[in-house]
């Protein structure tokens, strides 16, 4: 059995860590959002790939979830003193990774090859794959006009009201060719932001087609707990796009591809309406503060997936 975990930023990385404690590198592959990638100070920056790699390597900043623990900031301070763009916080250790990735790619390497080299250097044994080697750029339509993702998310701290979201290049992008879809027996959509982190991946045409036509279980862990987002601007964006902030909205959002949704145990009452949409639903503790929480939720997710798999095999 091989599980494909789809993940974006900090929330997704937490469940991803839990999954690596239960599945070995032959049983688990990560497909990661690249819609947040951008060029900054001449460097190729891939925040979601780095958040996942740092998390799996155990070197992520525990407080922020992104960047590295025990970071120093001489570069950023000096850049600021020079009057340079210091709104995007690049720590010294993190900076070395961006410089190295940019060099690997300038020498002709793909993002996949650069990611593999960096992950191996940090002793990450599971495959971490950018969703595509073709460029995808998330662009946020706001009341203040169009903003590139990192300007919306970091520079303006998600303050502008969102009117729509586009994934430039995603409809032409090819799914990462290192991913062998024939080996995948279950897909887990981690509790990342559906609009900002997951949709850029799901928009890739050959991947969407695979999910629509395949009979393997596709599970998602809802990022919503009792009408609020576990992390980040998910709830704010849902409201601004005219959606009610609840699990039913998440289920509807993924309806075309989803077999089962895991909601928080405080939201167990939502399961009935979600089943009415033709999507299986279980309620579990989806809040992950500790490593134990991450492993427990990963186990609950895999158990749910296996139950759906055997139900399918029995023709139920
Ligand atoms: N997020 C912030 O809120 N502020 C930052 O200054 C910032 C810098 C940063 C540097 C490297 C990196 O890999 C990630 C960084 N992030 C920062 C996080 C990141 O931009 C977002 O969390 C993701 O793009 C959303 O998933």
């Amino acid at each position: 059995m091989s599980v494909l975990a789809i993940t974006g930023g900090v929330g997704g990385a937490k469940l991803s860590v839990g999954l690596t404690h239960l599945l070995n590198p032959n049983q688990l592959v990560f497909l990661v959002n690249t819609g947040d990638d951008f060029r900054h100070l001449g460097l190729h920056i891939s925040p979601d790939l780095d958040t996942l790699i740092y998390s799996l390597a155990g070197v992520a900043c525990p407080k922020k979830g992104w960047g590295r623990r025990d970071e120093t900031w001489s570069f950023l301070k000096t850049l600021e003193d020079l009057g340079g763009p210091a709104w995007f916080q690049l720590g010294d250790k993190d900076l070395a990774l961006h410089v190295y990735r940019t060099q690997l790619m300038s020498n002709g390497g793909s993002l996949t090859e650069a990611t593999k080299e960096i992950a191996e250097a940090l002793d990450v044994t599971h495959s971490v794959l950018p969703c595509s080697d073709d460029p995808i750029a998330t662009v946020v339509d706001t009341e203040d006009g169009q903003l590139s993702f990192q300007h919306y998310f970091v520079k303006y701290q998600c303050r502008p009201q969102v009117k729509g979201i586009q994934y430039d290049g995603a409809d032409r992008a090819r799914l990462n060719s290192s991913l062998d879809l024939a080996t995948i027996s279950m897909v887990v959509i981690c509790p990342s932001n559906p609009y900002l982190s997951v949709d850029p991946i799901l928009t890739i045409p050959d991947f969407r087609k695979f999910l629509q036509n395949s009979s393997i279980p596709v599970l998602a862990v809802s990022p919503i707990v009792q009408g609020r987002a576990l992390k980040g601007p998910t709830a704010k964006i849902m409201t601004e796009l005219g959606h009610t902030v609840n699990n039913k909205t998440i289920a509807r959002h993924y309806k075309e591809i989803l077999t089962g949704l895991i909601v928080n145990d405080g939201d167990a009452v939502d399961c009935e309406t979600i089943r009415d949409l033709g999507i299986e639903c279980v309620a579990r503790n989806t809040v992950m503060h500790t490593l134990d929480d991450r492993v427990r939720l990963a186990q609950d997710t895999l158990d749910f997936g296996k139950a759906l798999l055997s139900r399918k095999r029995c023709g139920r």
Side-chain angles (χ1 to χ4, degrees), residues 298-313:
Q299 185 67 64
D300 287 342
T301 306
L302 296 176
D303 289 347
F304 183 36
K306 281 177 199 156
L308 294 178
L309 254 178
S310 62
R311 209 176 295 177
K312 205 161 261 175
R313 284 194 187 121

Side-chain angles (χ1 to χ4, degrees), residues 284-298:
R284 300 287 184 266
N285 183 359
T286 54
V287 180
M288 295 174 281
H289 294 304
T290 64
L291 176 60
D292 281 353
D293 293 337
R294 293 165 200 194
V295 178
R296 180 195 24 76
L297 181 57

Side-chain angles (χ1 to χ4, degrees), residues 147-181:
L147 294 173
S148 63
F149 178 82
Q150 296 298 344
H151 279 82
Y152 164 75
F153 196 89
V154 174
K155 192 167 186 184
Y156 299 113
Q157 303 276 296
C158 309
R159 278 189 300 266
Q161 191 177 329
V162 175
K163 296 192 331 195
I165 302 169
Q166 297 159 41
Y167 314 104
D168 285 358
D171 56 346
R172 293 184 303 279
R174 290 154 300 173
L175 183 65
N176 192 310
S177 59
S178 308
L179 178 63
D180 182 0
L181 290 173

Side-chain angles (χ1 to χ4, degrees), residues 126-144:
H126 289 81
S127 282
V128 173
L129 301 177
C131 58
S132 177
D133 276 316
D134 299 323
I136 298 177
T138 300
V139 177
V140 186
D141 288 324
T142 75
E143 55 183 357
D144 302 336

Side-chain angles (χ1 to χ4, degrees), residues 8-11 33 35-38 45-51 54 64-67 73 76 86-91 94 98 101 149-150 153-155 157 193 196-197 231:
V10 176
N33 174 39
D36 297 11
D37 290 20
F38 75 133
I45 302 193
S46 295
D48 287 356
L49 283 167
D50 296 347
T51 295
Y54 289 154
K64 297 186 300 232
W66 52 266
W73 300 93
L76 193 74
W87 57 271
F88 195 76
Q89 295 176 45
L90 292 175
D94 189 34
H98 306 306
R101 172 171 40 226
F149 178 82
Q150 296 298 344
F153 196 89
V154 174
K155 192 167 186 184
Q157 303 276 296
N193 186 312
L196 299 180
S197 298
K231 208 173 178 318

Side-chain angles (χ1 to χ4, degrees), residues 13-226:
K14 288 184 179 179
L15 182 62
S16 299
V17 168
L19 288 167
T20 61
H21 282 252
L22 301 170
L23 298 173
N24 67 42
N26 295 323
Q27 299 170 309
L28 175 64
V29 178
F30 294 101
L31 192 65
V32 184
N33 174 39
T34 57
D36 297 11
D37 290 20
F38 75 133
R39 273 199 100 80
H40 183 60
L41 298 163
L43 302 174
H44 183 114
I45 302 193
S46 295
D48 287 356
L49 283 167
D50 296 347
T51 295
L52 181 65
I53 289 173
Y54 289 154
S55 298
L56 299 185
V59 300
C61 169
K63 202 164 157 214
K64 297 186 300 232
W66 52 266
R68 290 187 71 145
R69 66 161 75 234
D70 305 324
E71 187 57 282
T72 56
W73 300 93
S74 300
F75 165 78
L76 193 74
K77 172 78 180 66
T78 311
L79 180 69
E80 196 168 20
D81 292 346
L82 290 169
W87 57 271
F88 195 76
Q89 295 176 45
L90 292 175
D92 300 331
K93 292 178 183 168
D94 189 34
L95 177 67
L97 185 154
H98 306 306
V99 170
Y100 187 45
R101 172 171 40 226
T102 307
Q103 192 214 21
L104 290 170
M105 294 179 72
S106 308
N107 290 342
S110 65
L111 181 58
T112 300
E113 287 162 345
T115 304
K116 188 168 187 285
E117 182 143 351
I118 289 163
E120 281 173 5
L122 286 167
D123 293 328
V124 171
T125 49
H126 289 81
S127 282
V128 173
L129 301 177
C131 58
S132 177
D133 276 316
D134 299 323
I136 298 177
T138 300
V139 177
V140 186
D141 288 324
T142 75
E143 55 183 357
D144 302 336
Q146 282 203 335
L147 294 173
S148 63
F149 178 82
Q150 296 298 344
H151 279 82
Y152 164 75
F153 196 89
V154 174
K155 192 167 186 184
Y156 299 113
Q157 303 276 296
C158 309
R159 278 189 300 266
Q161 191 177 329
V162 175
K163 296 192 331 195
I165 302 169
Q166 297 159 41
Y167 314 104
D168 285 358
D171 56 346
R172 293 184 303 279
R174 290 154 300 173
L175 183 65
N176 192 310
S177 59
S178 308
L179 178 63
D180 182 0
L181 290 173
T183 63
I184 304 300
S185 51
M186 188 189 300
V187 175
V188 173
I189 302 177
C190 291
S192 298
N193 186 312
Y195 310 94
L196 299 180
S197 298
V198 180
D199 280 2
I201 306 175
L202 299 183
T203 306
I204 297 172
D206 39 354
F207 189 49
R208 191 157 196 95
K209 218 170 284 162
F210 164 75
L211 293 177
Q212 284 166 340
N213 297 332
S214 141
S215 57
I216 62 171
V218 179
L219 311 179
V221 175
S222 177
I224 297 298
V225 173
Q226 294 177 16

